[in-house]
Amino acid sequence: MYETLPFENYTPAELSVWLGLIVGVLFGALALVSGFCLRRAIAGDKGERASAGAAWALALAVAVIGTQYVVSLGVLDLGGHRFMTGDLPIVAIVGGGLLFGIGMVLARGCAARLTVLAASGNLRAATVVLVFAVVAHATLKGLLSSWRVAAGSVTVPYGGTLPLPGWVWGVAFAALAIALIVKSRASWTTLVPAALLGLLVPAAWAGTGYVLNDPFDPITIESLAFTSTWTESLFYVIASTAVAPTFGTALIAGTLVGSLVISLLTGRFQWQSFESAGQTGRYLVGAALMGFGGVLAGGCTIGAGLAGVPLLSVAAVLALISMIAGARITAVLLERRASVSPALVPAE
């Protein structure tokens, strides 16, 4: 489709940067307004778990239906994508997912949520995403890469996509979302932004995989993600004269801009920092676990979850389940510890 666009002076890679920026701005704005975060549904305050879960399920259902519709048109070639691998790196995905889930609870937010909060003045979140990016980069290309390779070498001969047609899964996820919405009675001010956020997933898949598809100048097919994109952004900041911006770096920049603008317009911008050395240590441990685990699992709750599951990828589904399990186990242990030795838990 790229050849039909009136942008002959721009390459697909250059246009993908603008696409990433637009998607990021919208994500940052919608995520801040809706309080979008899987951790809140798993380990947040008990009064907010139901509505947060309903919002996340709705976004996922919209993403699944939208993505599967795009896939049904036959315009995307996802055969070489990492989520569609023939062999399943079971140890890396399950272990990485569990570690990410644990880190998400310790740091009180996933990478995406903390990126949004960082732009609204939360210095705890800013510190966490910085450590997260450094550890993730070290896992991909640095000192921890040997551990990643070792974990990824253990595979089982099954991967690819889930059985049954895409529309069946679309109906199933939609039914789950409706059930949770009815049970939680979540407000429309939370649900509408969440649904719009879910639409960004197929929009990005279609944008990078079809609209900007040029067989003579191919680009990576991408959607929402906050693990690989943060590593790209970190490297770009350090060596911008040697590398060009990408969809991923623009996505991070757009998310920061979108959430910053909305936080300023709505009066939500507020400087916040750590309250104790113990709290700082807990957040940093959580950041490191998310950085390492996110790379092993193939993404975070957004990259592997919200964007990966709509591809009906077995790897992405397993990664998301592992993240939820790790987060829930950690939340239960922390709740039991708090009941024995009560202590105030700081807000996001």
Side-chain angles (χ1 to χ4, degrees), residues 2 5-22 207-208 211-212 219 247 250:
Y2 168 75
L5 299 177
F7 299 114
E8 60 275 2
N9 294 327
Y10 299 91
T11 66
E14 291 170 338
L15 291 177
S16 73
V17 173
W18 287 103
L19 175 62
L21 185 64
I22 294 171
T208 58
V211 177
L212 299 180
I219 61 173
F247 174 91

Side-chain angles (χ1 to χ4, degrees), residues 33-206:
V33 169
S34 63
F36 191 78
C37 181
L38 184 58
R39 184 207 65 86
R40 294 178 63 230
I42 301 171
D45 296 336
K46 292 184 178 181
E48 69 178 6
R49 290 180 186 177
S51 60
W56 216 91
L58 176 60
L60 182 59
V62 171
V64 170
I65 294 171
T67 300
Q68 284 304 302
Y69 173 72
V70 174
V71 170
S72 70
L73 298 177
V75 298
L76 293 180
D77 182 11
L78 297 167
H81 196 278
R82 70 179 187 279
F83 286 139
M84 316 303 280
T85 179
D87 292 325
L88 198 65
I90 188 74
V91 172
I93 290 178
V94 174
L98 289 171
L99 290 175
F100 188 94
I102 294 170
M104 178 171 66
V105 173
L106 293 179
R108 292 186 61 80
C110 67
R113 176 62 177 167
L114 293 172
T115 300
V116 170
L117 291 176
S120 61
N122 192 318
L123 298 180
R124 294 192 299 269
T127 302
V128 168
V129 293
L130 178 59
V131 174
F132 164 80
V134 171
V135 174
H137 202 287
T139 306
L140 276 173
K141 301 178 180 180
L143 293 175
L144 301 178
S145 60
S146 60
W147 293 13
R148 170 183 58 80
V149 172
S153 65
V154 182
T155 63
V156 294
Y158 183 77
T161 59
L162 297 171
L164 303 179
W167 68 266
V168 174
W169 291 105
V171 171
F173 279 104
L176 173 62
I178 292 172
L180 292 176
I181 290 170
V182 171
K183 182 179 180 180
S184 68
R185 297 181 180 180
S187 67
W188 289 106
T189 55
T190 297
L191 295 176
V192 171
L196 294 174
L197 191 151
L199 283 175
L200 296 177
V201 172
W205 285 126

